[in-house]
Amino acid sequence: RNKVWNDSAKSYLIDSIMRDYPIPPIFLRDKLNLQERKTIREVVDGQQRLTTFSILLKVLYDKIDENKRKHFENCLFETYKDDSPKINHSKIDREKYTSLFNNEIDTNAKEGIFGCYNYFNTRTESKSNDELFEFMKFICETKIFVLVTLNANEDEQKIFDSINSTG
């Protein structure tokens, strides 16, 4: 399954956000990382939405004035980790996703992580800096996603299958 949506789904995401329409929940599972002695969250359902959404935020972040970016760093980057992305992507796309957040972007890509970035970059070209700032502010201040956290003892595959069997 693709890690980011096609253009139609990306367009629908932007339109849904702008119109303040509900977006399906993202299901997470808390997991204890014994090496780091902390709880991490794994995506059970909603990885495409979360990936696509985070790429949209990165595009907006890159386009707004540098002096305004500080307001949104906590939406995208880990605290105290030298600009590491807040989301650790799956092994398949981790390298490209990390490259994106290090501003190493294939601007010719039409698909995948970079293609998604390029799509949103083009879709937002006509917007003023103030419009982009206000849009990012709206996204970061509004509870757009519903996060459902599962306990460690819950079977995420069973829940995932149940969610996706209903369409």
Side-chain angles (χ1 to χ4, degrees):
R1 182 157 150 158
N2 293 330
K3 299 301 178 198
V4 293
W5 287 339
N6 62 33
D7 288 354
S8 175
K10 289 180 269 197
S11 179
Y12 185 76
L13 175 68
I14 288 179
D15 293 339
S16 295
I17 293 168
M18 293 173 86
R19 294 176 182 175
D20 203 14
Y21 289 168
I23 296 172
I26 292 176
F27 288 81
L28 303 174
R29 178 177 150 232
D30 284 344
K31 185 176 179 181
L32 184 61
N33 181 326
L34 297 174
Q35 291 177 332
E36 294 184 28
R37 303 184 83 192
K38 70 178 189 175
T39 301
I40 59 171
R41 288 185 166 170
E42 293 181 333
V43 178
V44 174
D45 186 53
Q47 182 170 336
Q48 290 173 309
R49 285 187 299 279
L50 192 58
T51 299
T52 303
F53 183 73
S54 67
I55 294 170
L56 170 61
L57 284 176
K58 176 67 167 108
V59 168
L60 296 172
Y61 179 84
D62 288 349
K63 288 187 164 213
I64 62 173
D65 289 334
E66 279 190 50
N67 62 337
K68 293 182 178 181
R69 290 181 184 172
K70 64 182 179 254
H71 301 295
F72 305 109
E73 288 173 355
N74 66 332
C75 293
L76 290 169
F77 301 103
E78 282 287 342
T79 308
Y80 311 119
K81 292 229 179 158
D82 298 327
D83 295 333
S84 294
K86 195 167 240 182
I87 298 171
N88 290 319
H89 211 279
S90 67
K91 291 177 184 174
I92 296 170
D93 286 326
R94 183 172 292 151
E95 186 177 331
K96 286 183 181 176
Y97 191 78
T98 303
S99 293
L100 178 80
F101 279 83
N102 289 327
N103 297 315
E104 300 163 2
I105 302 161
D106 176 358
T107 57
N108 296 316
K110 302 280 186 224
E111 296 179 358
I113 299 288
F114 298 135
C116 184
Y117 182 92
N118 296 333
Y119 173 83
F120 286 136
N121 196 34
T122 301
R123 276 289 307 266
T124 56
E125 279 179 344
S126 64
K127 303 295 181 192
S128 72
N129 203 281
D130 287 340
E131 289 174 308
L132 296 171
F133 177 80
E134 290 301 320
F135 187 39
M136 190 161 189
K137 187 173 152 189
F138 171 77
I139 291 171
C140 290
E141 290 178 353
T142 306
K143 302 296 184 218
I144 292 177
F145 287 106
V146 175
L147 300 178
V148 179
T149 304
L150 307 174
N151 294 322
N153 63 340
E154 294 181 276
D155 183 351
E156 70 272 4
Q157 187 62 48
K158 190 174 183 179
I159 292 169
F160 178 81
D161 291 343
S162 175
I163 293 165
N164 287 297
S165 69
T166 59

